[in-house]
Structure formats: structure tokens, C-alpha cells
Amino acid sequence: MTESNQFIITRSFNAPRELVWKAWTDPDHIKKWLSPDGAEMSVKRIELHPGGTFHYSMKIPNGSEMWGRWIFREITPPERLVLVQSFSDSKGGVTRHPMGPTWPLETLATTVLSEQGGKTMLTLTWEPLNATKEEIDTFNTSHDSMNGGWEGTFRQFETYLASIQK
């Protein structure tokens, strides 16, 4: 995999690294900020250990439901989380993106947290995994959309972090 196939986004949060880690990995926290605005997240299972699974669903206001799953590869609290991310069905199987038939079946996501002066710098690197050329091309041409999606997610995360620090 070449560097050109990576999507990298960095954001600083006004919170200590341990709190950012907990909010990023604890299902009671995740379900309060990870879903798109107006969607409701439900956690079916989370096993926070290498080889463990995070299986979840998101109910969209129009009534549809999407499933997703993470398979944890590396967990180094509170600084590094590596996982394989995919769309899923209710049983935990891998499925195609419901709106993107050429989206990679699996992506590798690496989250790194570093503390800088009481704030936490989060760097997310996302890349296609075991993907075809067509899937890689779809991923690479989607960076603007991914950036917009992650910026919205980070805004929600930032608001949530502020609410639990009070």
C-alpha cells in the first residue's frame, strides 16, 4: 500500500489524552457521539482486546438501519488503536457499503493520541485493506467527502468531550 492510498486527518481536542481515549473506546461514550446527527447508535457487542469485535448499528431518522463492525488489531492505551473497519449485517458479517458498491469491503484505521500541553492531538490514518484497484480508486476519490464526514464527527466528539468535563 502506498502513502497515496491513505486518508489522514488530525484534530486537537481540549481534553486530557486519557479522557479522549476513554470516550473513543468505551461503548457508553461512543454511542453518544459517533453516529451521524439525528441517528441513534446501538452497541451490540464490544470486546476491547486484539482480535475482539465492536459490532454496532445506526438507525437513521428515515427508519433505515446500517450495521458496522471493527476488529481490533492493536490496542495500546491511551495512545494507539488499530482496527479493521467494515460495513456489516446484524449477524456481524461483512457487507458492502449500502450506498457505495465499490467502496472497499475493509479499511484499516489507525488512531494515534498524543498529549500536548493538556490537549490531545488525534491523528486518524485510514486506508483500504485487501482492496481491488476499483475499490482503491473509489477510496482515493472520496477523500473530500471523508474529510467532511470526519469534520462533522469531530465536532460532535468535541461537544461531547466538553459535556463530560464539566
Side-chain angles (χ1 to χ4, degrees), residues 137-152:
D137 290 345
T138 297
F139 182 89
N140 288 338
T141 58
S142 299
H143 286 197
D144 286 344
S145 174
M146 291 162 26
N147 192 52
W150 275 108
E151 285 297 329

Side-chain angles (χ1 to χ4, degrees), residues 13 21 57 83 88 101 112 144-145:
F13 295 100
W21 175 266
S57 69
L83 57 92
S88 183
V112 176
D144 286 344
S145 174

Side-chain angles (χ1 to χ4, degrees), residues 118-131:
K119 295 184 177 189
T120 301
M121 183 67 66
L122 184 151
T123 301
L124 174 66
T125 304
W126 206 16
E127 59 193 293
L129 184 65
N130 303 317

Side-chain angles (χ1 to χ4, degrees), residues 31 35-42 57-61 65-66:
K31 65 185 179 183
S35 60
D37 194 30
E40 181 183 329
M41 178 179 243
S42 172
S57 69
M58 292 184 196
K59 289 186 182 172
I60 311 302
E65 186 174 38
M66 291 189 318

Side-chain angles (χ1 to χ4, degrees), residues 71-103:
I71 303 295
F72 298 105
R73 283 194 169 179
E74 180 185 334
I75 301 167
T76 309
E79 64 188 63
R80 185 174 164 89
L81 183 68
V82 181
L83 57 92
V84 175
Q85 183 174 4
S86 60
F87 285 90
S88 183
D89 57 27
S90 62
K91 295 178 180 137
V94 174
T95 63
R96 285 272 167 208
H97 186 305
M99 296 165 281
T102 60
W103 183 259

